[in-house]
Amino acid sequence: MIIGIFTVSAKVFSQESTISVKMQNGSLSDLFKVIEQKTEYRIFYKTKLVEDAKKININVTQEPVSDLLTSLLSERSLSYDLIDKVIVITPSSDNKESQQQKKPAVSGKVIDESGLSLTGVTVMIKGTTKATVTDKNGEYSIQLTPTDKVLVFSFIGLKKQEVSIDGRAVINVTMETESNALSEVIVIGYGTAKRKDFTGSVASVKMENSPIALSPNLNALDALKGTVTGLNIGATNTAGGEPTMLIRGQRSINGQNDPLIILDGVIYLGSLSDINPNDISSYDVLKDAVSAAAYGSRSANGIIAITTKKGKSGKPVITFNSSTGFQSWQNKPVMMKAAEWLTVVNARNQYAVGATNWLQTGELANMNAGKETVWLDQVIRTGINQDYQVAISGAAENVNYYLSSSYSNNKGIVIGDQFNRISVLGKVNTKVTSWLELGVDASYSKRDYSGIAANIGSAETMSPYGVMFRDTQGNLEKYPYTQSLMNPLWGVKDGSVTNTDIRHNFRLNAYTVVSVPWVKGLTYRFNLLSNLDKNQSGNFTNENYYVKEGAGVDRYTPAVVQGFLSSANGNIDNNTIKSYVLDNILNYKNTFGKHSIDLTAVATRDNQIYEDINGTGSNFAANGNTALGMWGLSKATVQKIILNGNQKSNIGYLGRASYSYNDKYFLTGSLRRDGASLFGADKKWAQFAAVGGAWKISSEEFLKDFKPLNNLKLKLAWGQNGNQGTGPFATLSVVQNSAAGDARYEFSNSSGVINYGLVQTTLGNASLGWETTESYNTGFESAWLNNRVFVDLDLYYSKTTNEIFNRGIPPMTGFTTILSSLGQVDNKGIELTIRSVNYQSKDWKWNTTLTFWKNRNKVVHLDGPDKTGVEQDNIANNLFIGHSLGAIYGYEQIGIVQATDTAYIRLTGAKAGYPMYKDQTGDHVITAADRKILGYTVPNFRLNLSNSVTYKNFELYAMITGTFGGGGYYLTSNTSAFMTSGTGRFNDNMISKPYWTATNMSTTYPSATFSGDGRFLGLMKRQFIRIQDVTLSYSLEQKWLKYINLKAVKVFVSAKNLGTVTKWIGGDPETGTTVGANTYPVPSTYSFGANISF
Amino acid sequence: MKKLIYKKYIWLFVLLLGTISCKDDNFLKETPTTFYTVNNAFSTSAQVDQAVIAIYSQLRDMWANPTEQNWIFVFRGNGTDMFDVPSIRRGNTFNNYGTINPDNSTFYNAFVAWYQIIAKANLAISSANLPTMTWSSASDKAYTIAQARFFRAFAYRNLAELFGGVPIVTQPSTTAQYDFKRSTRAETYQYAITELLAIEPDLPDITIVGGRLVKGACQHNLCELYLALGTQLAADGKTAEAQTAFTASIAYGNKVIDGGTYALMNTRFGARKSETAISILLYKNGVSGAANVFGSIPFTPNYYWDLFQEGSVNYQDGNKECIWAMQIDYAAYRAEDARDKLPYSRTYGPVFRNGSPANLNGTLEDAGGRGISQIMPTMYTRDSIYSGKWGTDMRNSDVVLRRTFYGNMTTSAYYNKPIPWSVLYDNQADQSLDYPVSCKIATDKYTGVADGENMSNLFRDDYFIRLPETILLRAEAKQRNGDKVGAAADINLLRARAQCTYMVTAADMDDKFNTILDERSRELVYEECRWNTLLRMGGTIAVDRIKKYAFWPEAQSTLTFSYNLWPIPQQVIDANKAVKLDQNPGWLSK
């Protein structure tokens, strides 16, 4: 919480505040005048307080103002408070009370939206210089004169409030977050900046105390869905899963497109799932080149900076957050019932109408007994999502701490899909001296993904008459219709398969900040982050798993099963990822009259070592049993150890300068030199530059009188960023042998002895270098109508060159591809955010936020021109010059062939009931030349609307997200929605569809016998509108809290993914799931919970 | 004082930055820890042998096709006169020339596979000759290099037969290259011949280890290469040179056939020679378990059947026909080599349970194993080559090409009785799923059933080269050399051994080589690479036969152009940016 930092640090004078004063027989007021002249501080005091104080005789050089004031004021029973650059002189606390008794006064308590007391809020009487600040309990008291009418409460980052006194003696105030985001502080690379001074495009999302935080967020990024323009966060459909993320379009064809994650100012090397969403205070999403430039080497895909919570108020605050959610599968596909399934199986296989002779004995028995199984219902359950968090935080004079521990448990909708996490985060920051600050953030998390989940794909396709249990004791039948398709629950809970997957993460970030005492504005910061991941996973499949196809319980007898001991196998995999980041950051900030400068120099390096040890064992026939499970691997006849490892290192040197003049003109420029181990020997280093400017045009004279406009800032930025686009060792010609070579042979006189081949697996490319994105960003940020409407617009264009991708090469080299730095992909787009305060009164408040963004992607170059000077598309890899990535290339379907289409049938050999394709070339036959680009899998644009309505202590928040297609965008092949035949097995179940017959001449659904022709795609629109989040919360009134001795209590009910409007058939449109695919559903979660502070 | 401290800090910074800078390059250096690169992989001769083993391994993958790749099914015969796809796999057809064009991935995959083998061989040869390499003996080195050069020549033969003249690459590639040039087909054959001639002395006559290359394999390939070269030269109008090549082909055929090492097997031999009767059990409703056995079908083994039994394939097993065999080892399969299997019962076997579920169900021996029929024999392969006077033939005996199937469904009219083929062939779809089962793809005794194997795989060794193929090559060379009597005599070597009643005469040796191709189908079904044979022969042989024998009608209606080579894959032409590679005739407008 940035505001928190400033609250705390404001208690301390900044390092530049030293003063040299020589004074004889001066008064305090004289001294204050000198301080005001020589420093940036302003001093408020009551003349009466200082007029009778004794005279001052001093002669000091470079004395800290704080020391000077403390010594002089304490002699006079006075003390002071410092708020930002304002010093307020007050009587020492002992005689405060006596003063209060004498005169009419008003007192009260100032809290923030979450009910926590705020320390250091300035309380001023309007029209006077009389002011005070709140104490560490958030309480204040101020004397009044009869003319005093209004109190003004102010605090950095919070909205200034004016409150009429109206004769009241007690005025409690709740401070609200400044909705004018221009005053917020944003996280940029290796430092922070005020939004109003910044020239790039950064979106910030406040989590702490926001309704978004109450939503059952399954991971650290879920909260960002739909709230930040240009940022696409994918759906999460497994317990503990991590979503995909993409900022401003796909830039890299082959390489990594994930944004870089920065956690509390340092590159984050762990897994996103290690971060507990409850510990997050805010996000800053750095989208354009200038913002991201600080992380030159890996910033081409943008940056998501996550800031965790910090201690805020003087007294320790204990917070307890708890929520419980229930998950269900929305729009679950409805598979055919047995009667329809029988008809369809006969139709698709051209069996006689009504034939049942292909049913297996067990299926027949079920049919005759009228017993059918809805397999999909057998593999799912009501998911449960539980979250508990306890946090203790506080901020004392020189120490700020935040300790949090949490437990999350998610039982997914699919049986066996489960996840739990224990995480601990501790942050301590201390001011050792006025110039030295030390801090340590440490965290530990343990994630447990162990378990085998049921197979949805096989549940969706299983015969409705399939046999679930082989006996009356509830033991599963492995092959419900005797062959081919396994019971979707086989191995899930029957003990034949065990799985363990536990991941530990240890993270320690230590930092030192030295405020160089003799240069005003110069600080040096040193970060040392070390991160350790210890992951252990293992699988064990015992002999019971391998029961054979067929019917009858004989297959399960111990004697038969014992034979499969030779098939029993397992592995235990231990992997470790050790990494560290070292940052040296030198910063100089100063203001000279109307000129402000901010200079940063950074030297950074990081290193990551990955080590994997995988032990496998198989064949337990000689051992005799598998009772020891995976820890009995050492008893296996065949045992192997497989080692894997890699290492990557980066070095970066950054120089950045920001300059602003008169709060009107802003300029930022940076230059970074980066080295990465991943690239070829002479390609390791690269330079990246960025420059951006902003003009606060609303501060100009000619706009000052234009009342509707409160603020307008124009921005323009250009810059380069790099992307690594590949992993370690990609430049080398790798040779693999032993098991890793995957080439084995056995010569006849050596039964069981395996000879391993040696294989060169890649053709190295020593000239592989950086993928570079050059981008432009322009736009404006504006505030209108007395800060009631905010409109932000960004336009961007980026071109990514030297794309690292697998270039097709002549196979005569022995290789088909080589990783090359070639090609170009462009992205351009528009992002619009409109926020408005629609209605505001004492009790009511209604805010609306609308976000819209649209990205267009284009492949510009691939391999370069061929012999004829034309650049060829790469059809094999689906890359087309001049088209977006994700192009769909194929035959355009124009309905279904009808019996009357005799010419088409004669010329193409198609049958009636088969899909009909457009003859693009006009040669009357359908050939490869008739293929064309049919559309794109990528969305057209996204539009999201969120509303928040507050009435007294109630808050209702709702977010609707929409991802739109149109114009050929957001299409995906969905053959299982159209086809009846062509699935893997002759009797697969499916969803009901009105397939073509001679009497039902469908123009959409092919005939039941059509099993695919290599051309049919069944393109379907994925466009959807989703009720993403709905949250209703209620904060208990302060007056009630007093009785139960609590600081704040908020209770809430919340729903995520409440409903989806889409024409997509089969599963979730966002994941593009089709029927029969073993892709887990995106859950709808309904939760309730409470946040309690002590 | 303060100034001093200030200076100290400055120096500290300089020092800090200094230490960072000078170590930068070391810090960024990449050193793999768990694998080698081409620069450090080779230090002993054992590693060169490993490079050779990788080729043995890839060739086994290309013949046995354990991962069921569609292009390999084509390479092994799908789309020729001999094999097509069943009704359930029409999507994998290689008979619809609407989709067969230079962009078809089958061609690309085949082309790539052979060049991968060439690259592996080049790597082995160049590392064998590294100055730092140590060898236990000169002959050890010579044999290792000879194997690598054999494989390289073998690859060029295959490429030239399938694609015509191709670029000849003899060194490992260290960077991408875009300027390869095609040689002529004759040059490509000639390169392979020169290479094989050079290594012939370095290969042993026989080996103790089954599966390693021997001299016979080299000579067999020389026989085929000279035949192919002669055929091409004749097509080019170089009659005299063609004659010389045919003579050389016959000479190398003679070396193998009459050299004394090899002979056709004409008595019972091998692991199961003492079994005079075998039976295939019948399971009620196709359900496994001893309790369900309700009967059996008897068969009488013969020596042709012995050729395809586990433990009887290798020369070292007493099989004098085996020139070079791929090695399958069940123990290694169980241990970790999942591709060490012949999935023939699965991939080549019929699917009675779908084709005639009312009569014959299940996936057990009575149904020929757990067949999924990736490809199936055309009516030509299964029936017409045995019609009339061609019927009496050991290769058509029930134990070799099983035509007897009993109903196992209790509700079937043919329960415990032979199902007539008219029933099994009741419509074209069922006809494509129900077909006779060769002893080359199924067995009465499946290995590994107790371990959970499900009658998909055979675990016997299998032939790369079996003597009858050399004989058929020599027959063709003789016929092309004008000696039809000699050609007929060679064919009759095989027919006599198979105890056929009809012996061919010179009059049977037609100019379209139908008699030789039919005999190849009878003798080498599931063994030869039919595409190589058809395309090697040139002319319109491939196209004519495909149109005549394809199972499904698409070939008839879509094969409207003529070709006698596969196309150079379009992807290869596109990738070779610096030099234009000419497309083969017939494919330019596809």
Side-chain angles (χ1 to χ4, degrees), chain A residues 68 584 660 695 821 847 1033 1038:
Chain A
L68 188 65
N584 292 282
S660 71
W695 178 22
S821 303
N847 290 340
S1033 64
Q1038 286 292 325

Side-chain angles (χ1 to χ4, degrees), chain A residues 320-523:
Chain A
F320 176 67
N321 296 328
S322 157
S323 77
T324 301
F326 298 96
Q327 299 184 326
S328 67
W329 185 349
Q330 183 195 122
N331 300 335
K332 186 177 63 178
V334 179
M335 310 314 295
M336 293 188 296
K337 301 292 280 182
E340 187 182 7
W341 169 77
L342 280 172
T343 311
V344 167
V345 173
N346 284 329
R348 64 176 281 195
N349 294 297
Q350 294 170 288
Y351 296 158
V353 173
T356 53
N357 59 354
W358 48 269
L359 286 173
Q360 298 295 333
T361 317
E363 291 177 287
L364 278 168
N366 278 342
M367 184 177 78
N368 294 332
K371 185 176 153 195
E372 66 178 284
T373 304
V374 181
W375 289 90
L376 206 46
D377 291 343
Q378 300 299 313
V379 301
I380 60 172
R381 60 187 171 190
T382 299
I384 300 178
N385 191 26
Q386 288 167 290
D387 260 303
Y388 304 94
Q389 186 207 23
V390 179
I392 304 171
S393 65
E397 193 78 21
N398 291 319
V399 181
N400 179 307
Y401 60 91
Y402 176 83
L403 304 168
S404 151
S405 68
S406 70
Y407 174 73
S408 306
N409 189 342
N410 183 198
K411 285 191 195 315
I413 296 169
V414 179
I415 290 176
D417 179 31
Q418 57 213 21
F419 166 73
N420 71 62
R421 173 182 54 211
I422 295 168
S423 69
V424 181
L425 171 65
K427 298 171 63 164
V428 181
N429 169 297
T430 171
K431 288 237 170 215
V432 180
T433 68
S434 63
W435 55 271
L436 181 67
E437 184 184 339
L438 296 174
V440 175
D441 304 349
S443 69
Y444 164 71
S445 97
K446 178 187 171 197
R447 289 179 288 148
D448 188 346
Y449 291 88
S450 304
I452 304 283
N455 186 320
I456 291 184
S458 78
E460 286 177 343
T461 48
M462 182 59 75
S463 154
Y465 287 138
V467 178
M468 174 65 90
F469 300 110
R470 62 176 186 259
D471 55 22
T472 51
Q473 271 81 58
N475 289 309
L476 290 179
E477 165 57 51
K478 183 179 176 188
Y479 293 101
Y481 63 93
T482 74
Q483 60 159 321
S484 190
L485 192 60
M486 278 200 291
N487 193 320
L489 291 167
W490 189 249
V492 174
K493 287 196 292 195
D494 52 37
S496 63
V497 185
T498 47
N499 165 272
T500 173
D501 183 353
I502 295 171
R503 310 174 194 181
H504 301 270
N505 173 267
F506 304 85
R507 182 174 174 275
L508 184 72
N509 182 23
Y511 57 90
T512 306
V513 183
V514 180
S515 304
V516 181
W518 49 84
V519 184
K520 183 187 170 190
L522 183 66
T523 57

Side-chain angles (χ1 to χ4, degrees), chain A residues 47-73:
Chain A
T47 324
K48 202 167 181 187
L49 264 184
V50 299
E51 63 191 10
D52 53 0
K54 58 178 183 174
K55 294 295 175 192
I56 294 170
N57 292 298
I58 48 167
N59 183 1
V60 294
T61 315
Q62 291 285 319
E63 179 88 4
V65 179
S66 53
D67 293 2
L68 188 65
L69 283 178
T70 308
S71 60
L72 291 174
L73 293 177

Side-chain angles (χ1 to χ4, degrees), chain A residues 111 113-115 953-954 1033-1042 1044 1046-1051 1091:
Chain A
I111 55 170
E113 287 157 303
S114 66
N953 290 353
F954 287 94
S1033 64
Y1034 173 69
S1035 303
L1036 258 63
E1037 302 256 7
Q1038 286 292 325
K1039 57 186 178 192
W1040 299 345
L1041 290 172
K1042 273 186 187 160
I1044 46 178
L1046 293 176
K1047 277 205 171 111
V1049 172
K1050 185 184 270 185
V1051 292
N1091 298 349

Side-chain angles (χ1 to χ4, degrees), chain B residues 351-579:
Chain B
V351 195
F352 292 105
R353 64 185 182 280
N354 277 10
S356 194
N359 298 306
L360 179 52
N361 215 326
T363 58
L364 303 169
E365 303 96 308
D366 52 359
R370 199 189 183 288
I372 63 160
S373 192
Q374 290 277 13
I375 59 174
M376 58 93 182
T378 57
M379 301 314 288
Y380 162 79
T381 310
R382 58 171 99 154
D383 289 347
S384 58
I385 50 176
Y386 299 107
S387 63
K389 64 186 179 188
W390 306 98
T392 310
D393 187 327
M394 192 183 280
R395 296 166 298 193
N396 190 31
S397 63
D398 215 23
V399 78
V400 173
L401 189 60
R402 178 181 162 205
R403 295 176 188 277
T404 308
F405 292 90
Y406 281 24
N408 64 10
M409 297 300 285
T410 47
T411 50
S412 165
Y414 304 101
Y415 183 65
N416 205 13
K417 282 190 284 197
I419 314 167
W421 281 95
S422 58
V423 170
L424 294 171
Y425 285 177
D426 69 337
N427 63 53
Q428 207 187 4
D430 289 348
Q431 194 175 33
S432 73
L433 290 164
D434 302 339
Y435 45 84
V437 176
S438 167
C439 71
K440 298 180 184 183
I441 66 162
T443 177
D444 57 315
K445 283 187 178 168
Y446 281 93
T447 293
V449 171
D451 298 330
E453 287 295 313
N454 65 359
M455 306 196 188
S456 288
N457 304 317
L458 303 178
F459 294 97
R460 63 169 171 85
D461 303 327
D462 197 18
Y463 303 98
F464 280 116
I465 307 171
R466 189 161 62 87
L467 184 62
E469 185 163 19
T470 326
I471 294 171
L472 284 159
L473 289 171
R474 189 176 69 175
E476 189 184 335
K478 285 178 177 172
Q479 183 175 342
R480 289 186 186 274
N481 212 18
D483 176 13
K484 287 194 174 181
V485 174
D490 272 354
I491 293 207
N492 285 334
L493 289 177
L494 301 175
R495 297 191 62 78
R497 189 275 290 268
Q499 297 176 349
C500 300
T501 49
Y502 180 75
M503 294 292 148
V504 298
T505 65
D508 286 316
M509 306 311 290
D510 62 296
D511 294 340
K512 289 279 189 179
F513 299 93
N514 286 321
T515 302
I516 288 181
L517 286 164
D518 291 354
E519 194 64 25
R520 291 189 77 105
S521 305
R522 283 183 282 262
E523 183 65 39
L524 298 173
V525 61
Y526 297 115
E527 291 183 70
E528 77 168 316
C529 296
R530 190 68 166 185
W531 276 108
N532 289 57
T533 306
L534 295 181
L535 297 175
R536 173 174 57 71
M537 290 191 158
T540 57
I541 286 176
V543 170
D544 292 348
R545 291 183 74 94
I546 290 165
K547 285 172 91 164
K548 187 169 177 190
Y549 296 119
F551 185 88
W552 299 105
E554 285 89 347
Q556 282 285 349
S557 58
T558 57
L559 184 45
T560 52
F561 64 105
S562 187
Y563 71 91
N564 54 29
L565 285 172
W566 277 356
I568 300 292
Q570 192 61 43
Q571 238 179 305
V572 174
I573 293 176
D574 292 346
N576 200 57
K577 285 184 179 301
V579 172

